[in-house]
Amino acid sequence: MKKGQTSIALSCWRLDKGGRTAVFASFESGTPCLVHFGATLPAQEDLSLLAQLTLPNTAGGQLDPLTPLSLMPSAIEGWQGHPGLSLLGAEGQSATPDLTLAEAVEEDASLTYKLSDRLDRVSLTLAIHLDDTGLLSLTTHATPKADSRISWLCAGAVPVPDRLSRILDHGGRWTGEFQQQERLFATGQYARESREGRTGHAHFPGATFLAIDCGETSGECLGVSLAWSGGHRMIAEEIPDGRRQVQFGVADDGVSDQPISSPTVYLAWSNDGLNGLSEAFHSLGRRFSRTKLAGRTVPRPVHYNCWEAIYFRHSPEELKQIASHAAELGAERFVLDDGWFKGRNDDTTSLGDWNIDKNKFPDGLTPLIDHVQSLGMRFGIWFEPEMVNLDSDLARAHPDWLQGPGGQPAGRQQHVLDLSKSEVCDHLFDQISAILSEHAIDYIKWDHNRVLTGGMPGQTVALYRLLNRLDAAFPDVEIESCASGGGRIDFGILNHTTRVWLSDSNDALERLRMQHEASRWIAPEIQGSHVGPRTCHTSGRVLPMAFRAWVAAQRHMGFEMDPRELTDDEALTLKRVTAWFKANRDFLFSARHHRLDTRDAEVHAEMFASAGDDGDDRFVLFHGQAGASKQIATRPYQLAGLRSETFYDIRLVNPEDLPRTLNQNVSSPFSKGESVRLSGAALMAGALRLPNAFPATMLVVEGQSVRSGVQP
Ligand code: DGJ
């Protein structure tokens, strides 16, 4: 656009769905921009005016053109920030794309834009969709032409409104996933990058942009996440005129002269706090699980996983004994972890040789599976298909199948198979298929225990293809995503899996925080959570069984200790909580999940609440007391998701976990374990004072709406 220009040629489009409006505009037939995403706008809204108002007037020291922030911003338009697409010419020189809108197709709640380059070096297709949960998705497909190559392609540059100045995202590490971090936008770039070829413990590919006053239950925020399980890059940027953008794309050290597609980036907007974003992202993660688990009578069976009980020491007799104990405690699926295949006695050997170890299982796995099934449990098994030990028949037979270049460092004594070779994937498919076809197995824990050395997008694409192939061949087999715990959790892998192993830490204190944080993105039932050994293997902590069990019962519950270590008391407690989980899981995992603002760093509180059309409303409140609070008494906080006019009968499910020392003089009948009746309005105004709790205690509260006609 020229200096001093007053009239601008504009085309506008709007999508309305899921309580959200998205408006796009193309200035002077340039690449369209996202000019509004959020609250539903009236039908009469002047979209052209909205679009024009996104352009700041130019001042001294700037280029003359008014430069919109388009979905694929480019320097040739005058954009001074990070470009959406980086092109290289035949000689490796930078070639700025000069894009123009060739075609726009609108259909239902979708838009497809075709863009061409004025010098014909690239063509792009942008696919946009707004779904009925209010999630907006953007995906870009790029075809380089005439010797051009692509070195960066974002899924679509997203403007971040000025008022959303806080950036919340997650760092993390092995056994310490989903650590929240926060900063404010400032001039320049804030970049996040995973170069591990997998999502990474430290790099969940998502970020939230919040208003200063936004909390869990109120305020405005925008969540953005890339559905991709490989190396990725995020750039959140404020340019000198104050405008802000966020771009997500694949991290790749190479350049592509072939057509490439960006993974999809998903956007959610909420004016009801962070829980509003979580609601939309939970529905995204649930899509695959819902289809996969449809028709199952018990979609989330209680797991028993033998890893921390026996590690590599597999003996059928001992495993049968453990299985019997686990079933007695309430387990419904037995997962045989690492150690069952030929020669796998420690982690230095045998990855790649997916044949049953005849020394450990002379009669194969069938007698163990029969035993497990006779106890009423299903059977699952561990694989780490993408990996190989040098000490394996596979590596000896096919040294050329290892990921190159040579001299790759080992990680956990293992190397990576090059999945971009079709013969490698065929081999893996055959090996896994043989085990699945010959046994009654309906579950795979799919592990990935080392980082790669670079973004390696081809590996991720091939993995998705292999998972699709297995899904087609074994539609009843579920897959859990594990990567040394939570190293591969994202909306790409959730298109193929029904559960994530959140962390290798079974320390309930750490889990309490982690699973609470992870719930910003990942639906509670998708997160696996196990009751580990009495002395935690990754922290050395010893925590009470009640706490360990309730923390696991907040998510997809499981056990991972040697059940023979349990005292009678511990076994009774675990059975009681497991029975509660089984009786309530259908409710929990169909209810809406809310994190609560407790204003107490030691308390992680969350609610599962349903508001049925028939007035039969319920809620479960989990008050997780991690450490000792600064103040003596539990601070009352506001509940969420209730109907103001409805009265609820409320009771503490576990009064036996209250310490007398901290509750010597008790004021309310509620603290004495009696049921009390309060309105949703009072509860959401912060009326409920919970009893005082010891560190490492979970208080569990159930609320049931009083049926209409019953007076309080
Ligand atoms: C890492 C996983 O996270 C553990 O749960 C276990 O499966 C081991 N790998 C097995 O090697």
Side-chain angles (χ1 to χ4, degrees):
M1 277 157 276
K2 304 267 163 38
K3 187 176 187 181
Q5 181 173 352
T6 47
S7 80
I8 301 171
L10 258 170
S11 309
C12 298
W13 301 262
R14 66 178 286 166
L15 305 176
D16 290 277
K17 213 169 188 181
R20 303 287 180 263
T21 298
V23 178
F24 295 86
S26 159
F27 295 84
E28 311 277 1
S29 301
T31 307
C33 319
L34 174 59
V35 300
H36 168 87
F37 172 55
T40 304
L41 299 177
Q44 308 76 3
E45 196 74 61
D46 182 342
L47 304 185
S48 302
L49 180 59
L50 271 189
Q52 287 171 19
L53 287 169
T54 62
L55 297 177
N57 301 342
T58 57
Q62 294 183 287
L63 291 173
D64 290 340
L66 291 168
T67 306
L69 165 52
S70 76
L71 291 167
M72 215 38 72
S74 164
I76 211 140
E77 299 161 350
W79 178 250
Q80 295 291 294
H82 197 276
L85 166 71
S86 299
L87 267 191
L88 298 177
E91 311 299 323
Q93 76 280 23
S94 155
T96 309
D98 188 1
L99 301 171
T100 173
L101 181 60
E103 191 184 335
V105 179
E106 187 174 350
E107 205 179 328
D108 215 352
S110 299
L111 283 164
T112 308
Y113 294 120
K114 292 200 186 300
L115 303 170
S116 53
D117 173 46
R118 289 194 173 86
L119 294 179
D120 205 25
R121 292 157 301 181
V122 66
S123 67
L124 296 181
T125 305
L126 271 61
I128 299 165
H129 180 66
L130 182 61
D131 75 12
D132 48 16
T133 67
L135 273 172
L136 183 68
S137 59
L138 313 173
T139 317
T140 301
H141 185 76
T143 306
K145 299 178 176 177
D147 294 336
S148 299
R149 287 164 298 154
I150 295 170
S151 61
W152 167 250
L153 175 70
C154 78
V158 175
V160 180
D162 190 59
R163 57 200 179 275
L164 307 184
S165 48
R166 294 160 60 197
I167 307 175
L168 191 82
D169 62 354
H170 290 101
R173 58 163 164 82
W174 176 71
T175 68
E177 289 84 342
F178 283 94
Q179 297 182 24
Q180 185 179 312
Q181 46 188 29
E182 190 174 332
R183 70 204 65 229
L184 290 174
F185 263 110
T187 306
Q189 290 178 6
Y190 168 51
R192 293 287 312 266
E193 192 171 56
S194 161
R195 303 182 56 76
E196 307 184 7
R198 62 177 184 183
T199 323
H201 294 82
H203 304 293
F204 177 78
T208 305
F209 306 94
L210 305 80
I212 290 297
D213 60 352
C214 178
E216 302 288 9
T217 55
S218 67
E220 188 184 357
C221 44
L222 172 74
V224 186
S225 185
L226 188 75
W228 182 244
S229 314
H232 56 266
R233 186 183 300 156
M234 177 197 83
I235 296 147
E237 181 178 47
E238 179 174 313
I239 63 169
D241 67 22
R243 282 180 292 171
R244 294 159 179 169
Q245 65 158 337
V246 59
Q247 296 185 9
F248 270 98
V250 166
D252 186 359
D253 294 325
V255 288
S256 179
D257 58 2
Q258 295 299 309
I260 52 173
S261 294
S262 74
T264 300
V265 71
Y266 289 92
L267 277 61
W269 174 85
S270 161
N271 212 11
D272 302 318
L274 295 162
N275 286 325
L277 298 185
S278 301
E279 188 183 15
F281 283 110
H282 288 182
S283 73
L284 177 61
R286 279 172 176 155
R287 279 179 203 168
F288 178 76
S289 309
R290 288 223 164 112
T291 322
K292 187 83 186 171
L293 305 181
R296 295 243 169 134
T297 37
V298 183
R300 296 282 169 189
V302 175
H303 277 201
Y304 177 79
N305 180 296
C306 65
W307 177 240
E308 292 201 349
I310 51 153
Y311 293 101
F312 299 101
R313 301 184 313 273
H314 288 200
S315 108
E317 283 326 303
E318 214 181 339
L319 283 164
K320 281 183 192 169
Q321 242 185 53
I322 289 176
S324 301
H325 281 282
E328 171 65 20
L329 292 166
E332 299 164 303
R333 175 182 276 141
F334 184 95
V335 180
L336 185 67
D337 212 283
D338 192 357
W340 57 267
F341 46 98
K342 187 174 166 248
R344 181 72 167 172
N345 296 322
D346 57 34
D347 60 11
T348 63
T349 173
S350 302
L351 285 176
D353 298 343
W354 302 109
N355 307 306
I356 297 159
D357 190 327
K358 289 287 176 206
N359 290 327
K360 294 179 185 172
F361 298 97
D363 302 317
L365 291 178
T366 302
L368 174 62
I369 298 178
D370 287 348
H371 178 75
V372 162
Q373 290 195 320
S374 75
L375 296 164
M377 290 192 284
R378 308 183 203 167
F379 195 85
I381 196 161
W382 182 94
F383 279 99
E384 193 178 0
E386 296 143 272
M387 300 295 159
V388 64
N389 287 118
L390 293 183
D391 182 9
S392 67
D393 294 345
L394 186 72
R396 280 183 285 272
H398 299 283
D400 54 317
W401 283 9
L402 272 63
Q403 181 87 250
Q408 291 266 319
R412 205 198 190 198
Q413 282 86 233
Q414 62 198 49
H415 285 70
V416 186
L417 289 171
D418 184 352
L419 263 53
S420 65
K421 293 188 160 74
S422 60
E423 60 275 29
V424 174
C425 287
D426 289 347
H427 172 80
L428 292 175
F429 178 80
D430 291 346
Q431 293 256 293
I432 298 169
S433 299
I435 297 287
L436 296 181
S437 320
E438 285 158 22
H439 301 93
I441 294 176
D442 70 357
Y443 193 85
I444 293 177
K445 179 177 173 188
W446 186 295
D447 214 336
H448 181 290
N449 282 304
R450 60 157 284 176
V451 299
L452 275 54
T453 49
M456 300 193 182
Q459 189 79 359
T460 307
V461 171
L463 166 73
Y464 290 161
R465 229 180 272 133
L466 177 60
L467 290 170
N468 276 339
R469 208 169 149 192
L470 285 164
D471 187 42
F474 301 95
D476 294 331
V477 175
E478 281 175 63
I479 297 183
E480 168 175 18
S481 173
C482 173
S484 309
R488 190 153 64 188
I489 300 179
D490 57 78
F491 292 108
I493 206 71
L494 285 177
N495 252 329
H496 306 271
T497 53
T498 55
R499 191 188 205 239
V500 295
W501 183 227
L502 193 61
S503 177
D504 272 354
S505 169
N506 284 318
D507 178 316
L509 263 186
E510 289 171 6
R511 277 290 173 141
L512 177 72
R513 180 200 61 73
M514 265 187 245
Q515 57 197 34
H516 187 74
E517 270 307 306
S519 74
R520 300 197 177 286
W521 304 98
I522 310 297
E525 73 275 19
I526 290 175
Q527 304 174 29
S529 192
H530 293 175
V531 179
R534 185 182 302 118
T535 305
C536 175
H537 289 191
T538 54
S539 70
R541 277 202 190 102
V542 178
L543 293 164
M545 175 53 86
F547 181 63
R548 287 150 61 201
W550 280 118
V551 168
Q554 287 188 304
R555 299 294 187 260
H556 182 183
M557 185 175 195
F559 319 143
E560 199 170 324
M561 87 302 279
D562 186 334
R564 297 167 298 183
E565 78 167 23
L566 300 183
T567 63
D568 290 350
D569 265 8
E570 286 172 334
L572 263 179
T573 304
L574 184 53
K575 270 186 176 174
R576 187 170 43 79
V577 178
T578 306
W580 183 93
F581 171 80
K582 288 180 178 175
N584 288 282
R585 64 185 153 196
D586 287 350
F587 161 72
L588 293 176
F589 300 148
S590 60
R592 187 169 163 197
H593 179 262
H594 305 260
R595 289 170 309 277
L596 302 177
D597 289 308
T598 63
R599 297 175 309 283
D600 184 333
E602 298 301 339
V603 176
H604 301 284
E606 25 183 90
M607 279 179 72
F608 293 79
S610 72
D613 289 341
D614 52 0
D616 185 23
D617 301 353
R618 285 184 66 189
F619 71 85
V620 171
L621 163 67
F622 289 101
H623 171 100
Q625 182 86 40
S629 298
K630 279 190 183 153
Q631 72 290 348
I632 291 180
T634 303
R635 257 186 216 293
Y637 45 81
Q638 295 167 292
L639 304 200
L642 306 177
R643 280 194 247 237
S644 302
E645 301 298 315
T646 300
F647 277 83
Y648 296 83
D649 282 336
I650 306 155
R651 71 178 190 98
L652 192 60
V653 175
N654 55 339
E656 67 281 1
D657 291 336
L658 294 183
R660 254 203 53 71
T661 339
L662 297 187
N663 297 285
Q664 301 189 12
N665 249 336
V666 173
S667 66
S668 76
F670 177 72
S671 283
K672 294 178 190 151
E674 293 170 25
S675 171
V676 296
R677 188 168 290 181
L678 280 171
S679 69
L683 289 164
M684 291 193 293
L688 189 66
R689 178 182 287 284
L690 290 174
N692 302 328
F694 273 161
T697 300
M698 179 80 81
L699 299 183
V700 186
V701 177
E702 281 181 8
Q704 170 67 55
S705 62
V706 180
R707 297 204 69 78
S708 43
V710 180
Q711 294 306 311

